[in-house]
């Protein structure tokens, strides 16, 4: 029975307590009733508030459980070694400082996306399927043997930017037209970082098995390069015949960066396929080098593939040395920083001790820079290529104790300021290829071309992600505007023959789409897009999924427990084009 329908006799002794007149004649009872009423009201109100808060918490927990359940279902839907792609636009990153998306970031990101569309549509119109576009002559050139380098380098950039139509067309070309059976003398290094890395990254992002199959095909063609007495690879191989050798200009020696910058890609390939041979080849190189690894962790750029010894040659964090040090750190990150990959971290920390011995400051402005070393003497010269180092140092700083962590992060920030000024110091606001530091003169351009390189923007990306300091975004935006002003033409983007005069060259390097524009786009994206605790970038900016490695655990197909794929809508040796 409803409460309001209860019948009450007017003559009942209880009725008087329901009559207001009874209380008006008895003020003490009225006051007591008021106090009781207020007390009960507060209790009821407080209880209702608690109930509402509890209901909100329960709803949020239920949503999290549902989301986790959906993620689990997606990750378990394995079909023929692939996983269905998953859109995680709203995913947050727990390990890096979260920066909210704001209108300025959105506007800048869209401008970068427009630049990518311009570069891509120009390539599509004038050089489709060829390695690189020559924008001035509106023609293509096969500078990598006709492997579609720009197309493959661009796949993950298109995917991350949500350019679905362009991505699908490129995917179909890979499936139907990409052929590696070429009588071509390929650089093992360049083919690995661009082609193997690009295909594996796109596989990790999309879950489309065609990319894994193609990555395995080209990797199998590269493997004979490691068939040397020491296992240190030759740097050139004929893709159809499997004959490997080193370039004549090295005197038969292998190049440090070229020989130590395949680990991320080949380890990832073994993890994705369950075949250990790729990982074994590239990890043996590190084992050999570690046997005679110096206390300062600095190696000359030439290594004898027959003896494993290093001869008299320069030591540099620039061309031909740089990405060897980068991969020591990143293999440790790739393995999720477990004891199984601690050797890489230990070697990297030795190399950072050596790097500190190369640090100098300019006068009068105290720009921090990294010298090059020949024998016992230092040269006050720094490549723009070495501007990857601030990002690398920042990424590795968290693996130290508090004091060293702060010391290396401060060093990273100082070096990034120098690299930014490589750009700001020229009339075009674009950096030259290398710089010299003379006493009392700070920095001066040496080789004055700019070929659309990404290294400084790469470091700004890492520093922004790891510090949340929006100054790095502003610096990146200034660099992007300089590219727009000086390098954008009607038929794509070109480099500059001279950053002082602004005279243009005739080459749109594939890494402009793979690295420069990708890092700029991510610089203005939330840190939940390709979070650094789930992905590691190869030296061509291709993100590879982090897979935890354990001691004495055989390689197995990591697709059995593959994670989700976040998405929103060497450093090269130097070619002047």
């Amino acid at each position: 029975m409803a409460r309001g329908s209860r019948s009450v006799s007017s003559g009942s002794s209880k009725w008087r307590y329901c009559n207001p007149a009874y209380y008006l004649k008895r003020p003490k009872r009225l006051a007591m009733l008021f106090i009781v009423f207020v007390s009960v009201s507060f209790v009821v109100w407080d209880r209702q508030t608690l109930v509402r808060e509890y209901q909100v918490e329960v709803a949020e927990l239920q949503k999290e459980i549902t989301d986790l359940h959906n993620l689990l279902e997606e990750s378990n839907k394995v079909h023929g070694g692939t996983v269905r792609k998953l859109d995680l636009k709203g995913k947050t990153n727990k390990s890096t400082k979260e920066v909210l998306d704001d209108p300025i970031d959105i506007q800048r990101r869209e401008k970068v996306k427009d630049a990518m569309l311009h570069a891509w549509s120009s390539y599509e119109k004038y050089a489709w399927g060829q390695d690189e576009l020559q924008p001035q002559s509106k023609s293509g050139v096969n500078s990598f043997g006709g492997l579609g380098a720009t197309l493959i380098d661009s796949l993950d950039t298109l995917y991350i930017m949500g350019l679905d139509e362009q991505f699908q067309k490129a995917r179909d070309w890979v499936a139907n037209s990409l052929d590696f059976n070429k009588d071509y003398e390929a650089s093992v290094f360049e083919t690995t970082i661009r082609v193997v890395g690009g295909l594996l990254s796109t596989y990790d992002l999309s879950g489309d098995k065609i990319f894994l199959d193609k990555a395995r095909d080209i990797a199998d063609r590269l493997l004979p390069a490691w068939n040397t007495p020491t296992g240190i690879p030759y740097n050139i191989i004929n893709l159809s015949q499997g004959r490997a050798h080193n370039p004549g200009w090295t005197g038969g020696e292998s190049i440090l960066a070229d020989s130590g910058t395949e680990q991320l890609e080949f380890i990832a390939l073994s993890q994705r396929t369950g075949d250990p041979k790729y990982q074994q080849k590239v990890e043996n190189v590190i084992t050999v080098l570690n046997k005679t690894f110096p206390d300062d962790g600095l190696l000359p750029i030439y290594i004898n593939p027959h003896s494993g010894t290093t001869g008299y040659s320069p030591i540099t964090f620039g061309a031909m040395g740089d990405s060897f040090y980068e991969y020591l750190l990143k293999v440790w990150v790739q393995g999720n920083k477990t004891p199984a990959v601690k050797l890489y971290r230990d070697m990297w920390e030795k190399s950072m001790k050596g790097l500190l011995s190369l640090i100098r400051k300019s006068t009068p402005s105290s720009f921090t820079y990294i010298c090059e070393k020949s024998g016992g003497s230092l040269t006050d010269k720094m490549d723009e290529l070495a501007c990857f180092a601030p990002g690398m140092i920042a990424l590795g700083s968290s693996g130290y104790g508090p004091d060293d962590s702060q010391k290396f992060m401060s060093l990273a920030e100082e070096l990034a300021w120098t690299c930014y000024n490589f750009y700001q110091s020229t009339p075009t606001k674009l950096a030259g290829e290398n710089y010299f530091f003379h006493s009392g003169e700070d920095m001066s351009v040496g080789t004055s071309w700019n070929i659309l390189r990404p290294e400084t923007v790469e470091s700004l990306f890492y520093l922004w992600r790891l510090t949340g300091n929006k100054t790095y975004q502003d610096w990146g935006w200034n660099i992007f505007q300089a590219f727009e002003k000086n390098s954008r033409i009607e038929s794509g983007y070109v480099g500059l023959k001279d950053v002082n005069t602004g005279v243009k060259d005739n080459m749109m390097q594939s890494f402009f789409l793979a690295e420069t524009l990708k890092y700029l786009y991510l610089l203005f994206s939330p840190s939940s897009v390709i979070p650094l605790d789930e992905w590691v970038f190869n030296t061509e900016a291709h993100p590879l999924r982090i897979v935890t490695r354990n001691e004495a655990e055989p390689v197995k197909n990591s697709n059995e427990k593959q994670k989700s794929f976040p998405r929103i809508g060497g450093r090269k040796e130097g070619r002047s084009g």
Side-chain angles (χ1 to χ4, degrees), residues 248-488:
W249 55 268
T250 67
E253 305 279 75
S254 295
I255 299 167
L256 176 63
D258 285 31
S259 304
T261 310
E262 289 87 12
Q263 282 70 27
L264 284 178
E265 296 84 358
F266 278 62
I267 289 170
L269 186 58
S270 280
Q271 290 170 337
R272 307 307 185 262
T273 62
D275 189 336
K277 66 183 179 183
Y278 309 104
Q279 179 173 320
Q280 289 168 353
K281 290 286 189 183
V282 296
E283 293 214 297
N284 178 64
V285 174
I286 302 303
T287 301
V288 171
L289 293 177
N290 188 50
K291 289 177 181 177
T292 56
F293 203 58
D295 291 338
D296 66 1
L298 300 179
L299 291 179
I301 58 174
Y302 293 142
I303 309 171
N304 189 308
H306 300 279
S307 65
T309 57
T310 56
Y312 181 86
S313 58
I315 289 172
T316 178
F317 279 80
M320 298 190 286
D322 45 16
S323 50
F324 165 71
Y325 304 104
E326 176 187 1
Y327 271 36
L328 290 180
L329 174 69
K330 287 186 173 179
V331 174
W332 177 70
V333 174
Q334 180 188 39
N336 210 14
K337 308 174 184 179
T338 65
V341 285
K342 187 174 184 297
L343 170 65
Y344 289 91
R345 174 76 194 197
D346 291 343
M347 293 175 71
W348 183 78
E349 288 192 8
K350 284 185 178 181
S351 298
M352 291 305 97
K353 290 180 183 177
L355 181 141
L356 291 176
S357 72
L358 304 179
I359 295 295
R360 295 290 183 273
K361 288 183 180 290
S362 73
T363 56
S365 302
S366 288
F367 287 118
T368 302
Y369 61 96
I370 307 171
C371 292
E372 296 183 353
K373 186 175 183 179
S374 295
S377 62
L378 299 182
T379 303
D380 296 301
K381 169 181 171 288
M382 182 175 170
D383 287 351
E384 197 281 336
L385 282 165
C387 285
F388 85 97
M392 174 190 69
I393 294 167
L395 181 63
S397 66
S398 62
Y400 289 105
D403 291 342
D404 281 341
S405 177
Q406 182 56 51
K407 178 179 73 174
F408 278 101
M409 181 59 82
S410 295
L411 175 61
E413 293 180 318
E414 291 173 13
L415 288 169
W417 171 239
T418 300
C419 291
Y420 176 59
N421 277 277
F422 284 172
Y423 286 78
Q424 294 301 298
S425 65
T426 72
T428 58
K429 305 300 182 186
L430 289 177
E433 183 74 357
N434 51 54
Y435 284 77
F436 288 91
F437 295 83
H438 301 294
S439 180
E441 298 179 15
D442 284 327
M443 61 182 68
S444 60
V445 177
T447 304
S448 61
W449 69 58
N450 178 292
I451 57 172
L452 308 171
R453 288 201 187 278
E455 284 72 26
T456 297
V457 172
E458 172 184 350
S459 284
L460 298 180
F461 159 73
Y462 278 108
L463 282 164
W464 172 73
R465 279 284 181 96
L466 297 169
T467 69
N469 186 344
K470 295 182 76 67
T471 297
Y472 299 116
Q473 291 181 303
D474 293 337
W475 292 358
W477 179 246
N478 291 340
I479 291 172
F480 173 70
Q481 288 182 305
F483 279 127
E484 288 292 283
K485 181 179 179 180
N486 295 282
S487 294
R488 181 167 178 154

Side-chain angles (χ1 to χ4, degrees), residues 71 86-92 528 534 564-568:
L71 288 176
L86 184 61
D87 190 328
L88 292 180
K89 294 181 182 179
K91 191 178 185 304
T92 58
S528 55
E534 295 182 16
S564 52
F565 317 112
R567 180 188 183 192
I568 66 171

